[in-house]
Amino acid sequence: MPRVVSSAAASNSSLHREPEFSPRFVETRSRSQPFWRRPSDRLLPRIVSSPTTETRADLSGLETQVKKLVEDLNSDSIDTQREATGQLRLLAKHNMDNRIVISNCGAITLLVNLLRSTDLKIQENAVTALLNLSINDNNKTAIANAEAIEPLIYVLETGSHEAKENSAATLFSLSVTGAVKHLVELMDPAAGMVDKAVAVLANLATIPEGRNAIGQQGGIPVLVEVVELGSARGKENAAAALLQLCTNSNRFCNNVLQEGAVPPLVALSQNGTPRAKEKAQSLLSHFRNQRHGNPGRN
């Protein structure tokens, strides 16, 4: 699975385009270039409303339109599903009223189901619609409650380049509502998702909110276990996550040490992939500095 890098969420005030994220999220993206803006978008109708002028009739018309699109998500026709997901993606892009109506009409669960579509365009539209919907805090909870985490990780592995970027952005957007808790649960080997879950945790660990969630949701013991028993890629990403936790928090560093991380890190520093060796050696060096009176951050 390609490496995903993390980002901070964009301002909710963006009105005419899908939300933008910091260039930390995609290394090759320029600061001014949005992820999802395409020339074809300019050919599609836009629904942009102002809270001061919106009438009940306008909202009623929007609700009727969205209900029809939600019905189309259940269609047996690939073309109909592709058109419906594309229109919902566009509507969710523009303003908060649209996002609320789409959620209230029951679109979220159906969009989550379509993350596993074999049609890459449907999958891409569905994940981008969910990303746009997640700007609304209530929708974040609804998306997480729709058990979206595992399907989003599935998109990270199978989707188009754009779908993978937007899946990672959605996971980031959901990280403050328990995404991390679900990722920790998916690190049970029986779930068959360890490497994918660890990869996302490694990226979430690069931001303060992600590190705090990992520490609070029981992520440290399982990360140490992956360093010891995981695959080569899993060990690499687990070490990267632990390095972020330890270098940014003295408390988390102590927790990592209490979990017995030193022996598996020593082994990894000798036998891991080049990147894993680098992360393990950096961690061990940090532990030595801690012992010699350089406590770092709390």
Side-chain angles (χ1 to χ4, degrees), residues 162-175:
E162 181 174 357
K164 289 175 180 177
E165 290 177 352
N166 293 354
S167 177
T170 307
L171 284 164
F172 175 85
S173 180
L174 298 179
S175 65

Side-chain angles (χ1 to χ4, degrees), residues 89-145:
R89 165 184 178 167
L90 181 66
L91 289 172
K93 167 181 175 180
H94 292 306
N95 63 56
M96 200 60 73
D97 285 339
N98 293 358
R99 296 173 193 123
I100 292 170
V101 170
I102 291 169
S103 176
N104 289 344
C105 288
I108 286 177
T109 298
L110 296 173
L111 289 169
V112 169
N113 291 341
L114 288 174
L115 294 177
R116 294 188 179 276
S117 173
T118 56
D119 183 89
L120 291 181
K121 189 60 181 179
I122 291 174
Q123 185 187 61
E124 179 184 302
N125 285 338
V127 73
T128 308
L130 289 170
L131 174 60
N132 293 335
L133 289 170
S134 74
I135 293 173
N136 178 281
D137 286 341
N138 289 333
N139 288 348
K140 281 184 172 66
T141 302
I143 294 168
N145 289 342

